[in-house]
């Protein structure tokens, strides 16, 4: 293989400040991790509730390995549909207050499996400009027309909807918490508009699940919209500290996806121990009022202090706190400076975020102590 053009592209990425290199973590996840042999404070992970290394979840996984083995052997529709998968789906449906739930192997696979099953080349998908890449990829796979409306701009969304034929199949899809901006979607307005223009609504609760809502089930719960959002997708890989994803909705939706969703059908079922571990995570989330209260306190405190120091934290209202830098090279330099001071904060650059909006993306977890936050703020002073 001639790699000349690969090398040229890599050099271009490097000189534009958007080259990605992997760093090795040699410890469990937590507020402190061992990164390339050095202990650092971790402000990058989506482990908002500190469950990625939780003893109860680990014990559940180990017990389940003993009882069910490790591999699942086949896809769900052949012989890989094991009791823990069904039990997890029953738990999720109850928790999300929906008729049913279906589990996917990852959030990426859920979005690239749900959208193409529901939409076809005659359909239109209306997608917030800042939606996760997996939503865009799912839409491209569906062959539907992709219309990206400006971020959270309800007037722009209505202008598009107005001109679409009533009979055309339409899906409005939005992250509920935007993964790089940490703000909430205007979901109530989206749902109202969907009703007026006969569109289906799909949400991605990846960063809201476990964090928002009275019982931690997400923004849909926080706003009391359980019966108005048709397709509720979310991940088990962030606040739940596990891996995998779910979609909640009607029984018909579940049945349809089992029959039509290619990333569900043509892949081996998730390991049963993972499903069992996720059931334990769900129990912890259900009883996690105190965790969420403490997380909110950490988040409010950090955001307020960063604001006082003059940093632009954009419209964040969740534990994802962006610090707008704009220039990708500068964002990387700031991240490196922080790392030298023992603090791990990732620089986010295009194409993950739009050009000119490179940023540091801080994530706060419930496990961060006041001293951790002070250490971070002190290090930020020098930037
Ligand atoms: C909004 C959103 N949706 C989907 C995903 C994909 O989920 P997963 O990591 O489980 O594949 C992510 C994160 O990776 C995300 O931030």
């Amino acid at each position: 293989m001639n790699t000349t053009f690969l090398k040229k592209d890599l050099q271009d990425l490097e000189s534009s400040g958007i080259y990605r290199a992997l760093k090795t973590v040699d410890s469990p996840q937590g507020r402190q991790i061992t990164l390339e042999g050095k202990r650092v404070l971790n402000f990058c992970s989506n482990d908002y509730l500190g469950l990625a290394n939780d003893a109860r979840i680990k014990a559940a996984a180990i017990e389940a390995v003993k009882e069910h083995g490790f591999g699942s052997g086949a896809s769900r529709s052949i012989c890989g549909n094991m009791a823990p998968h069904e039990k997890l789906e029953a738990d999720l449906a109850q928790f999300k207050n929906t008729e049913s739930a279906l589990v996917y192997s990852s959030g990426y696979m859920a979005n690239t499996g749900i959208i193409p099953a529901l939409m076809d080349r005659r359909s239109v998908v209306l997608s917030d400009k800042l939606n996760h890449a997996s939503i865009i990829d799912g839409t491209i796979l569906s062959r539907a027309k992709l219309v990206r409306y400006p971020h959270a701009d309800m007037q722009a969304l209505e202008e598009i909807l107005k001109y679409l034929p009533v009979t055309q199949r339409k899906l409005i899809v939005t992250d509920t918490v935007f993964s790089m901006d940490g703000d909430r979607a205007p979901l109530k307005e989206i749902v109202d508009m969907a009703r007026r223009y006969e569109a289906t609504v799909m949400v991605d609760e990846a960063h809201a699940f476990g964090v928002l809502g009275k019982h931690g089930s997400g923004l849909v719960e926080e706003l009391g919209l359980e019966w108005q959002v048709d397709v509720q997708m979310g991940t088990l890989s962030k606040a739940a500290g596990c891996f995998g994803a779910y979609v909640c909705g009607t029984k018909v939706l579940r049945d349809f996806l089992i029959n039509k969703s290619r990333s569900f059908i043509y892949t081996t079922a998730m390991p049963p121990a993972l499903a069992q571990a996720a059931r334990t995570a769900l129990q912890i989330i259900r009883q996690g009022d105190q965790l969420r209260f403490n997380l909110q306190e950490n988040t409010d405190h950090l955001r307020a202090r960063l604001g006082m120091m003059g940093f632009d934290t954009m419209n964040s209202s969740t534990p994802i706190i962006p610090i707008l830098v704009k220039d990708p090279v500068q964002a990387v330099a700031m991240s490196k400076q922080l790392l030298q001071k023992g603090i791990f904060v990732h620089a986010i650059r295009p194409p993950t975020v739009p050009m000119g909006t490179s940023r540091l993306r801080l994530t706060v977890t419930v496990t961060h102590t006041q001293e951790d936050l002070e250490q971070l703020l002190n290090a930020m002073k020098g930037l």
Side-chain angles (χ1 to χ4, degrees), residues 106-108 111 132 134 175 177 179 204 206-207 233 235 237-238 244:
S106 76
Y108 187 88
N111 282 336
H132 191 258
S134 53
D175 288 5
V177 169
S179 55
D204 177 338
H207 295 276
M233 173 271 174
T235 59
S237 52
K238 305 190 191 313

Side-chain angles (χ1 to χ4, degrees), residues 258-322:
I258 289 171
N259 283 279
K260 290 278 194 181
S261 180
R262 293 170 69 86
S263 67
F264 177 84
I265 300 168
Y266 298 110
T267 195
T268 300
M270 71 160 54
L274 183 47
Q276 199 58 30
R279 294 186 69 206
T280 302
L282 203 53
Q283 272 173 23
I284 299 171
I285 287 174
R286 268 174 194 276
Q287 295 153 7
D289 292 2
Q290 191 63 46
L291 286 176
R292 276 182 288 282
F293 179 81
N294 295 350
L295 175 63
Q296 187 69 48
E297 280 211 328
N298 270 357
T299 306
D300 291 346
H301 177 73
L302 187 59
R303 195 177 12 250
R305 292 282 299 279
L306 287 165
M308 280 190 258
M309 286 165 70
F311 289 108
D312 181 353
T313 57
M314 304 173 79
N315 288 323
S316 157
S317 63
T318 66
I320 301 168
I321 307 182

